[in-house]
Amino acid sequence: MNKIRLLFFATLRERAGTKALDLEIPADMTVRGLKEKLAAEYPNLRESMKSVLITINREYAFDEAVIPPNAEMALFPPVSGG
Amino acid sequence: MNKIRLLFFATLRERAGTKALDLEIPADMTVRGLKEKLAAEYPNLRESMKSVLITINREYAFDEAVIPPNAEMALFPPVSGG
Amino acid sequence: MSENFPTIFSITEDEIDLNDLLAKITLTSTGAAAIFAGMVRGETKRGDAHQTEYLEYEAYIPMAEAKMKQVADEIRARWESIEGIAIVQRIGKLYPKTPTVLIACTAAHRDTGVFEAARYGIDRLKEIVPIWKKEVGPNGEEWVEGEYIPKAGE
Amino acid sequence: MSENFPTIFSITEDEIDLNDLLAKITLTSTGAAAIFAGMVRGETKRGDAHQTEYLEYEAYIPMAEAKMKQVADEIRARWESIEGIAIVQRIGKLYPKTPTVLIACTAAHRDTGVFEAARYGIDRLKEIVPIWKKEVGPNGEEWVEGEYIPKAGE
């Protein structure tokens, strides 16, 4: 199992009810697998998993990416700065 | 005869050796006529008359324009602000 | 040469000082700057017309700074004329008319891409830099969501 | 409506304050500003490469102000989205890195011509606004001459 840290921002933070979450995940888990896990375990996040942006170690990551150990991941909606 | 006031800027001011000149000119004098008069009477300005910009009452004026009484005219090179 | 060209990027809760930022990206060889500034609109007419009391900005700060650096690198890769670049996003609770974001690019001359570079910078910031805003108005609050989905490598 | 939109134009010997000018052309409906600033180059590489100790600016002030107003009117005629316009030229003896000119345009959104309007503004200022500069450098002084010949009605 790998330890990872999830950060939530904007609507995802509000739906998760927390800014950060530490998780243990299987060593071969992909971004898709994590999304499925979160959708299953956190009903408030289920709807958000369809359009969420995900980053691994501050770079955008996509469904097939395998999550490395000690990853800092973030989940957030499309950005709206400016 | 009409009274007019000539203002000189930049290279024209330096060649004229003055910032302003009051003149009396014939009532029907055009911008071209004024340029010819200045070229004849002020040798330092002769060369400048080929490329000078001329204004009458703060609007650009051209060779055929007849100079109105009490005109405020200015003579200067192409502008270079900024 | 370009390693001496200043690149400023920051997420701040302080006022954005245009004079100071422009001075910091002006070199002896600089003759032109194009600056984009974004302000909080109190009254929006396009789309769903509405009023805004304030915006509340939030950022994933370390990643936002890294992505601002990336936007600056992309600008330099596209317009080699660019000398200095400043990219600043103000966060927190910001009221109408307040400048919230600034992108400034300098170059020797104005006709070598400085306007296009600033335009590119603000467009990219709104695509890839992780910053969000919640709009609070007379009818409640709503998160503003962008539309861009970053691609691999962005 | 547009009669309430601020238009600032001035010839000044004072420092150009970008923060102040931006605030003056930011309305409640404003979300975007494009600002062009020109600075004195101490070192020019394009064309005849040379160094500049300072520039000495001179203006035909009342006509320059009228022509700045005309540039602002032309901008509004071309981009009806433009809300505020500021056009400022600093004159006198100005040293490298000093901002000498500013053109700023504001609008509700950044995609309605605000960049193009600012670019148009600085191009037109350099064509029709009666201001000149003499360049003083290690090899003596020289008046900078523009190339544009105004047409009737300009």
Side-chain angles (χ1 to χ4, degrees):
Chain A
M1 299 289 278
N2 281 334
K3 290 190 179 196
I4 62 165
R5 179 162 195 128
L6 299 186
L7 305 174
F8 300 95
F9 293 96
T11 43
L12 272 286
R13 176 177 51 71
E14 292 191 344
R15 288 187 199 141
T18 183
K19 287 184 174 185
L21 196 62
D22 291 313
L23 279 188
E24 294 216 350
I25 58 168
D28 61 352
M29 184 172 260
T30 61
V31 167
R32 176 183 289 114
L34 178 69
K35 282 157 76 172
E36 287 165 357
K37 174 183 166 73
L38 292 171
E41 296 178 15
Y42 300 86
N44 281 346
L45 292 180
R46 192 171 302 148
E47 193 57 28
S48 301
M49 287 305 109
K50 294 174 188 166
S51 61
V52 69
L53 300 186
I54 295 191
T55 63
I56 298 176
N57 297 331
R58 304 172 188 173
E59 291 292 348
Y60 290 105
F62 300 88
D63 281 354
E64 312 310 321
V66 175
I67 299 169
N70 302 309
E72 174 184 295
M73 298 187 65
L75 291 88
F76 49 74
V79 308
S80 60
Chain B
M1 298 292 277
N2 280 334
K3 290 188 181 198
I4 62 164
R5 182 168 187 109
L6 299 186
L7 305 174
F8 299 95
F9 293 95
T11 43
L12 271 286
R13 175 176 51 72
E14 293 192 343
R15 287 184 199 145
T18 183
K19 287 185 173 183
L21 195 63
D22 291 312
L23 279 189
E24 295 216 348
I25 58 167
D28 60 353
M29 186 173 260
T30 61
V31 167
R32 176 182 289 118
L34 178 69
K35 282 158 75 172
E36 288 165 357
K37 175 183 165 71
L38 291 171
E41 297 177 14
Y42 300 86
N44 282 344
L45 293 179
R46 192 172 302 150
E47 193 58 29
S48 301
M49 287 305 109
K50 293 174 188 166
S51 61
V52 70
L53 300 186
I54 294 191
T55 63
I56 298 176
N57 297 330
R58 304 172 187 173
E59 290 292 347
Y60 290 105
F62 301 87
D63 281 355
E64 312 310 320
V66 175
I67 300 169
N70 301 309
E72 175 185 294
M73 297 186 66
L75 290 89
F76 49 74
V79 308
S80 61
Chain C
M1 168 108 71
S2 75
E3 59 270 25
N4 296 320
F5 285 167
T7 302
I8 295 169
F9 42 93
S10 77
I11 314 282
T12 178
E13 299 204 12
D14 300 331
E15 274 187 33
I16 296 177
D17 184 337
L18 280 75
N19 297 323
D20 178 58
L21 289 162
L22 177 59
K24 284 182 170 144
I25 59 169
T26 298
L27 308 180
T28 303
S29 52
T30 300
I35 304 168
F36 175 81
M39 279 71 65
V40 179
R41 260 193 319 278
E43 195 185 347
T44 298
K45 289 162 191 156
R46 187 157 80 176
D48 279 341
H50 63 278
Q51 298 200 304
T52 302
E53 278 167 28
Y54 62 86
L55 296 179
E56 181 97 44
Y57 283 79
E58 169 175 337
Y60 177 16
I61 293 178
M63 178 170 167
E65 289 177 341
K67 289 292 153 190
M68 285 176 164
K69 167 82 165 59
Q70 178 180 323
V71 171
D73 290 343
E74 290 180 7
I75 288 172
R76 292 192 192 285
R78 279 166 179 72
W79 292 278
E80 61 178 22
S81 60
I82 299 301
E83 297 185 342
I85 300 176
I87 305 179
V88 179
Q89 172 77 52
R90 188 173 177 187
I91 59 172
K93 190 170 172 177
L94 298 171
Y95 290 86
K97 301 172 89 171
T98 308
T100 58
V101 67
L102 173 135
I103 311 267
C105 296
T106 58
H109 304 277
R110 76 184 186 286
D111 57 359
T112 59
V114 77
F115 285 92
E116 293 81 356
R119 175 68 195 264
Y120 178 85
I122 183 62
D123 287 348
R124 287 296 278 162
L125 179 135
K126 285 172 177 265
E127 287 178 347
I128 65 166
V129 179
I131 301 164
W132 306 269
K133 57 194 172 200
K134 188 165 64 175
E135 200 163 346
V136 180
N139 300 319
E141 56 180 57
E142 187 174 10
W143 283 95
V144 182
E145 290 204 1
E147 293 172 359
Y148 191 79
I149 308 298
K151 294 182 274 288
E154 283 189 327
Chain D
M1 169 106 71
S2 74
E3 59 271 23
N4 296 320
F5 285 168
T7 303
I8 294 168
F9 43 92
S10 76
I11 313 283
T12 179
E13 298 204 11
D14 300 332
E15 274 188 31
I16 296 177
D17 184 338
L18 280 74
N19 297 322
D20 178 58
L21 288 162
L22 177 58
K24 284 183 170 145
I25 58 168
T26 298
L27 308 181
T28 303
S29 52
T30 300
I35 304 168
F36 175 82
M39 279 72 65
V40 178
R41 262 194 316 280
E43 194 185 348
T44 297
K45 289 163 191 156
R46 188 155 82 175
D48 279 341
H50 63 278
Q51 298 199 305
T52 302
E53 279 168 27
Y54 62 86
L55 296 179
E56 180 97 45
Y57 283 79
E58 170 175 336
Y60 177 14
I61 293 179
M63 180 170 165
E65 289 177 341
K67 289 292 152 189
M68 285 177 165
K69 167 83 166 58
Q70 178 181 322
V71 171
D73 290 344
E74 290 180 8
I75 288 172
R76 292 193 192 287
R78 279 166 180 72
W79 292 277
E80 61 177 21
S81 61
I82 299 302
E83 297 186 341
I85 300 175
I87 305 179
V88 179
Q89 172 78 51
R90 188 171 177 189
I91 58 172
K93 190 171 172 177
L94 297 171
Y95 290 85
K97 301 172 91 171
T98 308
T100 58
V101 67
L102 173 136
I103 310 267
C105 296
T106 58
H109 304 276
R110 76 184 186 287
D111 59 359
T112 59
V114 76
F115 285 92
E116 293 81 356
R119 175 69 196 264
Y120 178 85
I122 183 61
D123 286 349
R124 287 297 276 162
L125 179 133
K126 285 171 176 265
E127 287 178 347
I128 66 167
V129 179
I131 300 163
W132 306 270
K133 57 194 173 201
K134 187 167 62 176
E135 201 165 344
V136 180
N139 301 319
E141 56 180 56
E142 187 173 11
W143 283 94
V144 183
E145 289 203 3
E147 293 172 1
Y148 191 80
I149 307 297
K151 294 182 274 291
E154 284 188 328

